[in-house]
Amino acid sequence: QVQLVESGGGLVQTGGSLTLACAPSGRTFSSNAMGWFRQAPGKEREFVAAINWSGHATYYADSVKGRFTCSRDNAKNTVYLTMNTLRPEDTAVYYCAASPTGQSFTDIVQTPLGNLVWGQGTQVTVSS
């Protein structure tokens, strides 16, 4: 069974930093676009960041642009989300996602959520 496994979540104070990691199991996604979404309590899952297969192109939600960085190490089959200057409104469960067939970050941004491969999520809590 193909699965994405996130790690690195936790509790951090406002202004702090965290780095999330996502490593697939069951198959490699080193030739596929990947990304991050988040879901706060009572809200819909929202896009955060996406990265193309090579790591040379990224795309971010306006709310995180300039604070978050999405990167990947295909040799380690791992995608990262480095989050700086965290705010209480960044509190959410963060999910890693992969496009099963696409290579461009648009394949994360424009694909219906049900057509992506998902992880189980990791909680990020930013205290004020």
Side-chain angles (χ1 to χ4, degrees):
Q1 181 179 355
V2 178
Q3 187 176 357
L4 303 177
V5 180
E6 302 98 334
S7 61
L11 174 65
V12 64
Q13 291 185 332
T14 295
S17 300
L18 277 176
T19 295
L20 308 181
C22 171
S25 66
R27 63 164 281 186
T28 177
F29 286 96
S30 58
S31 297
N32 301 84
M34 297 187 69
W36 293 90
F37 291 72
R38 66 187 181 186
Q39 188 166 16
K43 295 188 176 181
E44 294 186 351
R45 192 169 299 190
E46 65 173 5
F47 168 76
V48 175
I51 189 166
N52 77 330
W53 73 275
S54 67
H56 293 157
T58 53
Y59 184 77
Y60 299 93
D62 288 343
S63 58
V64 306
K65 201 172 296 182
R67 301 188 298 123
F68 290 12
T69 301
C70 185
S71 60
R72 67 191 299 164
D73 184 341
N74 284 341
K76 296 182 178 179
N77 202 24
T78 301
V79 173
Y80 304 95
L81 184 68
T82 300
M83 306 181 292
N84 296 319
T85 320
L86 282 162
R87 306 166 180 167
E89 54 264 38
D90 294 318
T91 295
V93 177
Y94 282 71
Y95 296 91
C96 179
S99 170
T101 58
Q103 295 186 320
S104 168
F105 61 72
T106 59
D107 294 306
I108 295 293
V109 178
Q110 298 177 0
T111 297
L113 300 186
N115 292 343
L116 298 174
V117 178
W118 294 97
Q120 82 288 351
T122 185
Q123 177 71 46
V124 172
T125 303
V126 185
S127 63
S128 58

